[in-house]
Amino acid sequence: MSSSSDILVSAPWVHENLDKIKVFDCSWYLPFMARNTKEEFVNAHIPGAKFFDIDEIKDQTKLDLPHMVPTPEFFGAAMDRFGVGVGDHVVVYDSAGVGPACRVYWTFQAMGHPAGKVSVLNGGMPEWAKCGFPTESGASASPPQTADPHKYRATPVAGAVCDYTHVVGVIEQLKTSGGADGAQIVDARPSGRFAGKEPEFRPGLPSGHMPWARNVPFTEVTEPADAADPQVLKMKSPEAIRRLFTDAGVDLARPVITTCGSGVTASVLYVALLTAGVPKGNLTVYDGSWTEYALNPHSEIVVD
């Protein structure tokens, strides 16, 4: 069982340990939001941080799916460029508080980075700024080149990622058993898109949900750090998260597949469930998520 203290770290902890950790700004927004996260990083970031671009560090062969998990070789090469070793403690953050950083946290987990060596800054850049800690500007400095060009060895973890075929098999098992057997599918999209009442962001992609899926919108696992500053979002307590999923009909003793629109906010649920004490071996992210599923003409789509 993972401890929430291993997964989420505070801004003061990061500040005290900057010389011992590798920090990544993983900020990302949907295209229609017109945010230039690279430019924002150059303007201000945590001292020593590198920018992790989930639209670049991805599977380069799947052009119809926005940011599928990269191959181990591609990920390892990216870590070599960043100067990150397998034994380094990595801290990821974003400008949303708790959001895309969770996708990068999950990616490190899927690539086999050692347990307890990856953490999410709870509250992200807004929490760092709220604490009054310094920032720096400018692009990331290039790390020194190592003698071994293949220093980082990614070792993918079986079961951390699942694909369309696996999800369809789970759906059939759920249908046959009336939901009693098999992994549970939990969708992080807003309720309107899940129910098929609001459109997807991708033009032409139908909304709705997979048969037997449960809906826990990713926004429900976070809360304002305090009433005076609602812009700083942090992960809810483990107790609140357990209650949220249980109320949505999710049995936390059974395996869970998290999904969303394109695999980003599914990772927020993944991190939330880890902090709530769900074993890592019981959690899987459907990497292609709703985009891959709904693009397939053979998929069964449920509209409420």
Side-chain angles (χ1 to χ4, degrees):
M1 180 180 294
S2 297
S3 166
S4 60
S5 61
D6 296 333
I7 302 161
L8 302 175
V9 292
S10 68
W13 185 92
V14 172
H15 183 253
E16 291 169 10
N17 291 277
L18 272 179
D19 60 337
K20 305 181 187 72
I21 59 179
K22 299 295 177 72
V23 182
F24 284 104
D25 184 330
C26 311
S27 301
W28 176 88
Y29 291 89
L30 289 161
F32 76 88
M33 301 176 82
R35 293 279 295 266
N36 188 329
T37 51
K38 289 183 179 179
E39 183 177 292
E40 291 176 17
F41 172 84
V42 169
N43 290 337
H45 55 263
I46 292 175
K50 311 294 185 185
F51 186 75
F52 191 112
D53 190 339
I54 65 173
D55 284 330
E56 292 182 2
I57 304 175
K58 65 176 184 178
D59 188 334
Q60 301 288 322
T61 66
K62 297 181 180 177
L63 301 180
D64 58 332
L65 298 171
H67 24 246
M68 298 283 277
V69 70
T71 64
E73 296 77 16
F74 193 93
F75 184 82
M79 293 305 104
D80 286 342
R81 291 194 300 273
F82 285 131
V84 174
V86 171
D88 287 333
H89 191 142
V90 174
V91 174
V92 295
Y93 74 90
D94 58 54
S95 54
V98 180
C102 294
R103 169 72 186 190
V104 179
Y105 173 93
W106 168 77
T107 301
F108 272 97
Q109 293 279 304
M111 290 292 110
H113 203 76
K117 290 288 188 176
V118 191
S119 304
V120 177
L121 170 53
N122 198 13
M125 191 62 172
E127 177 68 8
W128 182 268
K130 178 186 173 185
C131 290
F133 295 133
T135 61
E136 65 180 14
S137 59
S140 301
S142 298
Q145 294 298 310
T146 60
D148 180 2
H150 303 293
K151 180 182 177 183
Y152 192 101
R153 299 284 197 276
T155 53
V157 175
V161 189
C162 71
D163 59 14
Y164 178 85
T165 301
H166 180 81
V167 167
V168 169
V170 167
I171 290 171
E172 289 304 311
Q173 189 175 12
L174 288 167
K175 289 166 66 176
T176 301
S177 67
D181 297 328
Q184 302 156 104
I185 299 171
V186 185
D187 196 319
R189 290 175 300 148
S191 58
R193 289 163 58 196
F194 178 86
K197 296 176 181 177
E198 296 177 2
E200 294 295 316
F201 295 124
R202 181 167 176 155
L205 190 71
S207 57
H209 61 85
M210 303 169 202
W212 286 97
R214 304 287 185 178
N215 186 212
V216 178
F218 78 96
T219 52
E220 295 187 9
V221 302
T222 62
E223 61 185 359
D226 59 63
D229 192 356
Q231 300 304 311
V232 180
L233 295 177
K234 289 186 172 183
M235 195 71 76
K236 287 183 177 178
S237 70
E239 296 76 16
I241 291 170
R242 284 194 291 269
R243 185 166 56 251
L244 176 68
F245 279 86
T246 301
D247 290 347
V250 180
D251 182 349
L252 297 180
R254 289 172 55 190
V256 173
I257 296 171
T258 63
T259 181
C260 61
S262 62
V264 176
T265 58
S267 304
V268 177
L269 296 192
Y270 174 90
V271 171
L273 286 164
L274 279 179
T275 66
V278 176
K280 183 168 63 175
N282 271 10
L283 296 174
T284 303
V285 171
Y286 176 22
D287 199 20
S289 281
W290 185 251
T291 299
E292 181 180 50
Y293 184 85
L295 282 174
N296 193 312
H298 302 293
S299 297
E300 181 180 353
I301 294 176
V302 178
V303 175
D304 295 338

